Amino acid sequence: MMRILQFLVVVLSGLATAQQQALMDYLERRLLAIEDRISLWHEQTSRYASELREFKQQMVSQLEGLDKNKETLRSELDAVGVRVDRVEREMDYLETQNGAQPCVDVDDKLVEQQVTVAKEKNKAKYSKLTDCSDMISSIKAMKILKRVGGHKGMWTKDTGSSSGKVYIFNGTGEDTLYEFGSMRDLSSSQGMAGATSIQLPYAWGGMGHVVYNNHLYFVKDDEELRLVKFDLQNRLVADSAVFPAKDQLPVYTLNPETYVDLAADEEGLWAIYATKENEKHVSLAKVDPKTLAIEQMWDTPCPRENAEAAFVVCGTVYVVYNSKLPSRSRIQCVFDVSDMVTNDDAPTVYFPKRYGTHSSLKYSPLEQLLYAWDDGYQMLYKLQLKKKLEV
Ligand SMILES: *[C@@H]1O[C@H](CO)[C@@H](O)[C@H](O)[C@H]1NC(C)=O
């Protein structure tokens, strides 16, 4: 019995070891399988990581490429912009070339006659009052100061004194002007709130007035063109005179409200006007600011057609042209009373691009500035001057 038991124990324990071994084998196999999978995952993740790295690098280099493309695109756009500008200038030029030939259908004899008349009239030598001998070489800068007022009007400083006062003439046929103590008063004012309003005895006509040495010179809005000199300090009419030209026409076809455009320069007071006698061109007169007497008259070669404004610097008239569809304003005709500047010496000077039209341009000789009214905006242009060529 004991023996049988001993045998059984041996057999059973043998069985147990066999079972244990089998279990161990099984576990080992599983562990190996898990290890395999882990190493597979590891491999995969490191592959993913490197793929991700590569992708990132690709993206970075593509982004750099995009940046470079953007720059070339921008420079290409700039180049296109320059070309558009050039084409626009050429078109402007062609337009004015076409606009500036009002004589083509006129009889040759008539032209000759006109030229002789012009020569006769222009023969008298102008004796200069000052030693001013500058001409415009370019427009150096533009400043938009404010927008007070309507489509058409005029603004100016006192062009003959250093009082610093600024005047606003809103509209083309009003009788109330606004006086600001200084440029700063105007720019900080709410509309016309900071201004003194000055009532005139008559309405002005057009945009041709000028303020010179505390006096306003303007043309009365009436059938007969009368020059009025108004004392701005004492608020009374100082003098008046009928403008001596017959059959007057609007002086600029693009601003037909103005019949006489008064202008001040280093030499004094001028009147730019037009008559039926010389109907295609702008005429010029020297005005005595004390007595309103006309001292001398000239016919200029500058067409009225497509002119929008003009001004005088050192005895030279600069006529500014535009087109009916507003584009770039430019000085395209000059006339010098002392014969030192001809149209050939004077380059076409373009105003900065604004796509507006000037209803008035007033020169301030003390500052070499142009006071411009562009669709209700009060603007300033700084002129670059150079010496006229001595001949
Ligand atoms: C200026 O004139 C326009 C019309 O030409 C008018 O509508 C506007 O109210 C005027 N502005 C001022 C401030 O007087």
Side-chain angles (χ1 to χ4, degrees):
M1 187 64 188
M2 226 13 229
R3 270 180 182 232
I4 291 168
L5 265 176
Q6 254 176 351
F7 172 76
L8 266 174
V9 165
V10 169
V11 169
L12 280 174
S13 66
L15 271 173
T17 354
Q19 251 180 357
Q20 236 174 14
Q21 189 57 48
L23 188 66
M24 290 296 288
D25 287 351
Y26 169 75
L27 284 177
E28 201 162 317
R29 274 201 308 280
R30 285 303 303 257
L31 269 174
L32 278 174
I34 288 170
E35 264 175 17
D36 273 355
R37 268 159 85 177
I38 287 176
S39 80
L40 193 68
W41 286 342
H42 195 72
E43 221 174 84
Q44 275 178 352
T45 41
S46 74
R47 206 170 62 227
Y48 287 152
S50 72
E51 272 175 18
L52 207 67
R53 241 193 329 272
E54 255 172 50
F55 180 66
K56 200 171 118 187
Q57 255 159 15
Q58 272 178 8
M59 289 309 288
V60 166
S61 66
Q62 272 186 12
L63 279 176
E64 276 168 5
L66 272 180
D67 254 0
K68 261 185 222 129
N69 277 344
K70 208 165 79 184
E71 236 145 72
T72 43
L73 197 68
R74 187 175 303 144
S75 65
E76 274 169 19
L77 272 177
D78 280 351
V80 169
V82 168
R83 277 168 56 191
V84 167
D85 260 6
R86 198 182 309 142
V87 169
E88 193 187 37
R89 269 204 297 277
E90 275 162 16
M91 282 182 56
D92 280 352
Y93 176 71
L94 285 176
E95 228 167 60
T96 47
Q97 282 297 294
N98 292 339
Q101 295 173 344
C103 288
V104 278
D105 52 1
V106 178
D107 185 311
D108 273 355
K109 268 199 204 117
L110 241 170
V111 174
E112 251 169 54
Q113 218 176 355
Q114 260 182 10
V115 169
T116 8
V117 168
K119 284 217 178 101
E120 285 294 307
K121 219 181 216 177
N122 293 346
K123 217 155 57 182
K125 186 92 182 129
Y126 174 76
S127 43
K128 292 197 105 198
L129 305 173
T130 68
D131 57 2
C132 169
S133 64
D134 288 333
M135 64 180 280
I136 297 178
S137 70
S138 66
I139 290 165
K140 205 156 61 170
M142 165 180 85
K143 184 173 175 181
I144 302 174
L145 200 85
K146 213 179 173 66
R147 189 179 196 178
V148 285
H151 183 48
K152 292 202 174 184
M154 186 282 252
W155 79 299
T156 183
K157 231 181 199 177
D158 185 335
T159 51
S161 82
S162 49
S163 75
K165 286 179 184 161
V166 183
Y167 299 89
I168 304 268
F169 298 76
N170 183 33
T172 60
E174 305 295 319
D175 63 1
T176 305
L177 64 114
Y178 297 90
E179 179 188 87
F180 288 88
S182 67
M183 194 68 88
R184 188 170 309 155
D185 287 354
L186 168 62
S187 56
S188 63
S189 164
Q190 282 280 354
M192 310 287 193
T196 311
S197 68
I198 298 175
Q199 174 97 33
L200 300 174
Y202 332 100
W204 63 73
M207 284 87 61
H209 3 293
V210 70
V211 177
Y212 186 75
N213 276 336
N214 277 315
H215 286 79
L216 163 67
Y217 297 78
F218 71 104
V219 173
K220 191 177 156 186
D221 192 7
D222 215 344
E223 306 110 65
E224 155 191 272
L225 291 176
R226 180 170 279 274
L227 284 185
V228 180
K229 179 179 175 183
F230 183 82
D231 183 336
L232 287 167
Q233 245 159 12
N234 302 311
R235 309 276 168 91
L236 45 86
V237 173
D239 207 346
S240 84
V242 175
F243 195 79
K246 266 201 325 215
D247 301 325
Q248 288 203 237
L249 300 170
V251 55
Y252 316 117
T253 60
L254 296 183
N255 280 310
E257 299 87 350
T258 301
Y259 277 76
V260 178
D261 192 9
L262 298 164
D265 78 342
E266 295 78 357
E267 293 279 298
L269 213 57
W270 304 84
I272 307 161
Y273 66 99
T275 63
K276 276 222 178 86
E277 190 196 332
N278 181 28
E279 63 176 338
K280 302 275 186 201
H281 299 98
V282 168
S283 298
L284 178 71
K286 187 75 188 13
V287 181
D288 181 346
K290 288 200 189 74
T291 62
L292 295 180
I294 304 293
E295 298 169 334
Q296 203 166 329
M297 292 171 124
W298 296 264
D299 287 330
T300 80
C302 298
R304 292 167 55 229
E305 186 68 28
N306 288 326
E308 65 176 11
F311 54 91
V312 185
V313 178
C314 288
T316 304
V317 191
Y318 295 82
V319 184
V320 178
Y321 294 86
N322 206 320
S323 39
K324 284 189 187 71
L325 275 176
S327 70
R328 296 281 287 278
S329 297
R330 65 244 146 197
I331 300 168
Q332 211 162 16
C333 189
V334 304
F335 173 74
D336 183 13
V337 295
S338 57
D339 266 343
M340 276 157 67
V341 187
T342 67
N343 252 327
D344 300 332
D345 315 324
T348 303
V349 174
Y350 279 84
F351 283 78
K353 191 173 352 197
R354 277 271 300 158
Y355 290 110
T357 58
H358 298 112
S359 58
S360 61
L361 285 170
K362 295 287 158 177
Y363 175 62
S364 164
L366 297 174
E367 309 163 295
Q368 279 92 48
L369 284 175
L370 283 179
Y371 287 67
W373 186 288
D374 175 351
D375 197 19
Y377 286 97
Q378 288 71 48
M379 300 174 53
L380 290 169
Y381 294 110
K382 179 77 185 161
L383 297 177
Q384 176 79 54
L385 301 179
K386 63 177 184 188
K387 287 275 167 267
K388 288 178 183 174
L389 295 173
E390 305 276 349
V391 278

